[in-house]
Every structure is written in structure tokens, then in C-alpha cells.
Amino acid sequence: MGAERAVVLELLHLQADPSARILTKESDTVVLHCAMEAERCVGVYLVGRTRAGRVLNAPAQAEETAALLSQALGQSSPLPAPPAREGLKSPTTLTWKVGEVPIVARWRNSDLMELRVGSVKP
């Protein structure tokens, strides 16, 4: 978050694209989209790469998702725990801040479906 384009490209091991507003890194399990404005990263969106592998806190994705979240925040950051049930219904979103950076986690029951860091819309 807040890094210049050249730094984002180096950290994500991406080829230079001088005009892209969204920089994308795909792994076998997770896709990271980095929103760029005025040559700085203003937001990161994390989602599972395939429809069958959308759950970011599943064993196959959790380690990589946590590493990408930590990299986006510039500090170690574990994945959030599923939100507590409120009566018969589970909340579908959880929002918090790390420093001044807002984070939104979208849930389906206890499955983490997406993470939005900073100013980014899916």
C-alpha cells in the first residue's frame, strides 16, 4: 500500500506496464489485483484463482493469502478469524484497520471469499 509502481512491480515480480491501472499477479491458487493511482498502489484485492478454489482460508490457499496480505500491508498480518455468528446468521463482512489502511473481508459462513485492502473495488 502506497508503494510506487516500480516497487510494486519488483515486489510482485511483474513486467513493467507503464499505463496499467490494475496490476495483476496470479499464482496457482490466489489472484492479487493492485489498483494504481498517480503511480502509487492505493488498494489490493485478493481472491481465489479458480471457482473451485475461491476459499482464501482453505488449507491450499491460506499460507499464500496470508503472505500476500502481509506483503500488501508491509508487516506480518495473519488472516482474520471467521466472524462470530449473530443469532442464526453469520455476518458476511468484517472490517478493520491496520494503521490507517482499511481492510474488508467478505465471508460465506466460515469461508473467507475475498480481501479488499485500501481503496479498491472488485
Side-chain angles (χ1 to χ4, degrees):
M1 291 297 308
E4 294 177 354
R5 181 179 297 271
V7 173
V8 172
L9 292 169
E10 185 173 327
L11 287 173
L12 297 178
H13 307 288
L14 297 173
Q15 297 297 325
D17 185 346
S19 62
R21 289 191 60 234
I22 304 292
L23 302 176
T24 300
K25 176 181 180 168
E26 289 189 36
S27 73
D28 291 340
T29 60
V30 180
V31 178
L32 176 145
H33 300 282
C34 180
M36 303 296 294
E37 287 183 13
E39 295 303 304
R40 292 205 174 269
C41 175
V42 296
V44 172
Y45 177 70
L46 290 162
V47 66
R49 183 167 185 245
T50 65
R51 186 173 206 77
R54 288 279 190 245
V55 181
L56 294 173
N57 60 344
Q61 286 93 319
E63 184 177 335
E64 184 170 13
T65 302
L68 289 170
L69 176 61
S70 296
Q71 191 173 27
L73 294 169
Q75 65 184 49
S76 180
S77 185
L79 294 182
R85 292 183 68 88
E86 297 172 357
L88 298 174
K89 190 172 182 179
S90 293
T92 58
T93 60
L94 180 65
T95 305
W96 72 101
K97 283 188 173 187
V98 172
E100 294 297 314
V101 180
I103 303 172
V104 177
R106 190 176 63 79
W107 298 88
R108 184 180 62 212
N109 298 316
S110 63
D111 294 339
L112 179 58
M113 303 306 292
E114 69 181 42
L115 282 169
R116 287 179 261 162
V117 181
S119 178
V120 66
K121 295 179 182 172

